[in-house]
C-alpha cells in the first residue's frame, strides 16, 4: 500500500485505510470519544467529541506521517526525510521518523512558537529555522530535498498520508456506529478526505461536513470552480487550517465525498476553544475547535448523532491566553468602557462603587486627561471589566447611566 515518489498515483480505496490502521497498531492511539451534554442540548441530538488532541504528539498528524514514511523503500529511508511545518506536521514527522529509525530534518518558520520547536527536537528531528512565512520555509525544505536526496514528506497531498488520516474515520465508525454527521476542520484537506473516504465507503448515508476559517477558506471557491484555487495571504488564528490552497489529491476526494464545507469566524473559533476548555475540560487548538465553532454558529443544521473531530491540542501558551481573552470578549464576558467623570478627588472611587454594586469585576483602570475633547474639570476613565455575559454587560452600562455617567463606547 505504498505510494513512492516514482510510482503513479492510483485512487485510494477503503482497503488502503484498513491497511494503514493495521500499520498504526501500537503506534497511534485509538483516541477517546467523549460525549458533550452542552453541545447535545444545543444541537438537540447526541454530540460526541473525537479527541485527536490527545493523540501522541498532540494531533492526528502522526498517523499520516508514519504511514508515509513506513512505505518508503530502503533506499529512500537511507536518504532521510525532510518536512516543512510550523507545528503539528513537524512533530508528527519527527516522532514517526524516530520510531522507524529514519533521519529527519524539519524546516520551521523563524517565528514558530518555542514550545513547538522544542517538542520537534525532542521527538528526534533536526530543526532548521528558515523564513518569515511558511511558503519560504516550504521552499527551503524542497531545496534541501533536491540537494540531498531526502524524501519530502508533504503534510496532506499524498495518498499514504490521506490513508493514515483516514484511520480516524474507521475509529469513529467503531466508537459511534450510529453516527449520522461527522464534522471536521479542513486546511489542505488530508484529514477530511481520509475521514470522508473511510466513512462513506462503509456508511454512504452519513454526512461529512468540513469547516474552514473565514480568513483561510480556499475550499468554497475551489469547489465552485471545480479545481484547487489559491487564497492570497490567508489570515486566521487557526494555524492548523491556515492553508492557502487545497491539495490536488485531497481536493478530488473532498469534491466527491464531503457533503458541505462551512466557514467560521475568529470570534466563533475563540468561543469554541473556550467552551472546550470550560465544559469539556479539553485543551484544544483553534483549528481543532473549528468543528465545535460550526456547531455553535448553526446548531440546527446538524443531524445527530454528531461526531466533531478535535484534530489537535498543540496551542502555544501565549496564543492560548490571547484566544481565551478573545473568546471571553466574544461571549460577552469582557466589557471595555470609557466613562467620563468629574476630575476631582473621590470621583473614581464613586464610579467604582457603582460597578461593585452592579457585580462587575474590575480588571484594569486608566485615566485619560489630555484629550482635547475634555473640559477643564473632566477626565475619562477607561475600565476593563469581567462580566457574566451579554445581559450583565447591559445591566452594568445601565447602572452607570442611571448614576449619571456618560459612556463613550
Amino acid at each position: 500500500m505504498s505510494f513512492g515518489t516514482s510510482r503513479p498515483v492510483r485512487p485510494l480505496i477503503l482497503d488502503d485505510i484498513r491497511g494503514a490502521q493495521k500499520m498504526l497498531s501500537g503506534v497511534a492511539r485509538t483516541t477517546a470519544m467523549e460525549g458533550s451534554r452542552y453541545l447535545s442540548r444545543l444541537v438537540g441530538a447526541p454530540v460526541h467529541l473525537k479527541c485527536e488532541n490527545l493523540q501522541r504528539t498532540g494531533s492526528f498528524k502522526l498517523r499520516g506521517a508514519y504511514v508515509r514514511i513506513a512505505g518508503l523503500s530502503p533506499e529512500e529511508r537511507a536518504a532521510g526525510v525532510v518536512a516543512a511545518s510550523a507545528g503539528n506536521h513537524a512533530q508528527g514527522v519527527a516522532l514517526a521518523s524516530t520510531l522507524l529509525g529514519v533521519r529527519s530534518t524539519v524546516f520551521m518558520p523563524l517565528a514558530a512558537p518555542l514550545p513547538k520547536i522544542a517538542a520537534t527536537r525532542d521527538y528526534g528531528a533536526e530543526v532548521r529555522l528558515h523564513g518569515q512565512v511558511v511558503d519560504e520555509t516550504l521552499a527551503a525544505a524542497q531545496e534541501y530535498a533536491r540537494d540531498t536526496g531526502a524524501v519530502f514528506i508533504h503534510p496532506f497531498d499524498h495518498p499514504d498520508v490521506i490513508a493514515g488520516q483516514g484511520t480516524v474515520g474507521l475509529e469513529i465508525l467503531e466508537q459511534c456506529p450510529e453516527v449520522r454527521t461527522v464534522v471536521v476542520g479542513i486546511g489542505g484537506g488530508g484529514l477530511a478526505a481520509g475521514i470522508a473516504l473511510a466513512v462513506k465507503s462503509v456508511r454512504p448515508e452519513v454526512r461529512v461536513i468540513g469547516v474552514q476559517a473565514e480568513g483561510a477558506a480556499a475550499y468554497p471557491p475551489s469547489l465552485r470552480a471545480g479545481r484547487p484555487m489559491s487564497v492570497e495571504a490567508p489570515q486566521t488564528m487557526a494555524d492548523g487550517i491556515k492553508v492557502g490552497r487545497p491539495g490536488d489529491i485531497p481536493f478530488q476526494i473532498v469534491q466527491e465525498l464531503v457533503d458541505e464545507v462551512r466557514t467560521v469566524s475568529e470570534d466563533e473559533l475563540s468561543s469554541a476553544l473556550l467552551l472546550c476548555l470550560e465544559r469539556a475540560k479539553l485543551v484544544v487548538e483553534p483549528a481543532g475547535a473549528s468543528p465545535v465553532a460550526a456547531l455553535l454558529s448553526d446548531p440546527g443544521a446538524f443531524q445527530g448523532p454528531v461526531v466533531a473531530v478535535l484534530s489537535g491540542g498543540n496551542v502555544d501558551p501565549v496564543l492560548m491566553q490571547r484566544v481565551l481573552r478573545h473568546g471571553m470578549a466574544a461571549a460577552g464576558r469582557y466589557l471595555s468602557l470609557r466613562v467620563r467623570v468629574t476630575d476631582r478627588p473621590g470621583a473614581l472611587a464613586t464610579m467604582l462603587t457603582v460597578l461593585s454594586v452592579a457585580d462587575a469585576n474590575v480588571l484594569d483602570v486608566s485615566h485619560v486627561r489630555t484629550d482635547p475633547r475634555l473640559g477643564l474639570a473632566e477626565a475619562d476613565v477607561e475600565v476593563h471589566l469581567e462580566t457574566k455575559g451579554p445581559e450583565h454587560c447591559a445591566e452594568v452600562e445601565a447602572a452607570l447611566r442611571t448614576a449619571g455617567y456618560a459612556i463613550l463606547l
Side-chain angles (χ1 to χ4, degrees):
M1 194 206 69
S2 174
F3 300 82
T5 54
S6 61
R7 289 183 287 275
V9 174
R10 63 169 173 77
L12 272 169
I13 59 175
L14 179 61
D15 282 348
D16 295 318
I17 301 176
R18 286 178 170 154
Q21 188 174 45
K22 292 179 182 177
M23 186 181 296
L24 288 167
S25 177
V27 175
R29 295 171 181 153
T30 299
T31 51
M33 186 174 289
E34 301 287 344
S36 171
R37 284 186 289 182
Y38 178 86
L39 290 173
S40 296
R41 287 197 301 269
L42 190 67
V43 172
V47 174
H48 305 279
L49 306 175
K50 177 60 172 166
C51 299
E52 280 297 289
N53 59 309
L54 303 180
Q55 184 57 261
R56 296 177 72 178
T57 74
S59 87
F60 69 96
K61 289 288 190 178
L62 172 65
R63 298 173 184 263
Y66 187 92
V67 174
R68 172 75 173 102
I69 297 168
L72 297 178
S73 68
E75 294 76 17
E76 289 170 327
R77 289 195 188 198
V81 299
V82 61
S85 168
N88 289 346
H89 180 57
Q91 294 173 65
V93 168
L95 179 57
S97 300
T98 297
L99 293 173
L100 291 163
V102 176
R103 184 179 70 258
S104 63
T105 303
V106 176
F107 284 77
M108 302 183 77
L110 291 167
L114 292 178
K116 293 186 178 181
I117 295 172
T120 303
R121 286 183 172 136
D122 286 345
Y123 287 128
E126 176 190 347
V127 174
R128 299 193 180 191
L129 301 180
H130 183 92
Q132 298 295 335
V133 296
V134 174
D135 285 345
E136 295 174 359
T137 309
L138 178 63
Q142 291 172 328
E143 182 180 0
Y144 178 89
R146 289 191 296 270
D147 291 344
T148 66
V151 178
F152 179 71
I153 306 300
H154 199 284
F156 49 81
D157 204 10
H158 192 280
D160 283 355
V161 173
I162 296 170
Q165 321 306 28
T167 60
V168 177
L170 295 181
E171 290 180 17
I172 289 172
L173 293 176
E174 293 163 2
Q175 294 170 309
C176 185
E178 69 278 14
V179 63
R180 298 301 302 272
T181 305
V182 177
V183 191
V184 56
I186 298 186
L191 178 63
I195 287 176
L197 180 58
V199 170
K200 293 281 192 177
S201 296
V202 180
R203 295 270 309 283
E205 75 280 8
V206 174
R207 284 178 59 79
V208 178
I209 297 177
V211 184
Q212 292 207 288
E214 286 178 355
Y219 263 91
S222 298
L223 292 169
R224 287 192 296 269
R227 59 186 176 85
M229 303 287 289
S230 297
V231 171
E232 295 298 326
Q235 293 296 324
T236 176
M237 72 177 75
D239 286 346
I241 53 175
K242 187 179 176 181
V243 178
R245 183 185 184 277
D248 292 329
I249 300 173
F251 176 79
Q252 297 171 15
I253 300 171
V254 169
Q255 184 180 39
E256 179 183 356
L257 297 179
V258 172
D259 296 278
E260 181 184 0
V261 175
R262 291 173 166 255
T263 61
V264 292
S265 69
E266 299 296 284
D267 282 352
E268 288 163 345
L269 286 168
S270 298
S271 297
L273 187 148
L274 185 62
L275 183 141
C276 288
L277 187 62
E278 288 191 329
R279 298 300 183 103
K281 316 306 178 190
L282 291 169
V283 175
V284 182
E285 62 190 87
S290 59
V292 174
L295 295 177
L296 292 175
S297 67
D298 191 7
F302 302 89
Q303 183 179 9
V306 177
V307 173
V309 181
L310 307 182
S311 58
N314 290 319
V315 56
D316 178 51
V318 176
L319 175 63
M320 171 69 88
Q321 186 179 35
R322 289 169 46 204
V323 170
L324 288 178
R325 283 200 303 265
H326 192 84
M328 292 183 73
R333 291 167 57 184
Y334 275 150
L335 178 62
S336 296
L337 298 172
R338 179 181 279 206
V339 182
R340 189 148 293 173
V341 300
T342 303
D343 193 8
R344 59 176 175 76
L348 177 60
T350 302
M351 188 199 75
L352 293 178
T353 299
V354 175
L355 295 174
S356 177
V357 172
D359 203 22
N361 184 32
V362 179
L363 300 175
D364 188 41
V365 179
S366 61
H367 277 87
V368 177
R369 289 190 172 90
T370 57
D371 193 314
R373 293 169 294 182
L374 291 169
L376 187 62
E378 292 180 327
D380 283 351
V381 176
E382 292 184 351
V383 289
H384 302 278
L385 310 169
E386 184 180 8
T387 63
K388 301 172 184 176
E391 292 183 1
H392 190 211
C393 288
E395 292 171 4
V396 171
E397 292 180 32
L400 287 168
R401 290 193 172 98
T402 299
Y405 292 99
I407 299 176
L408 295 86
L409 298 176

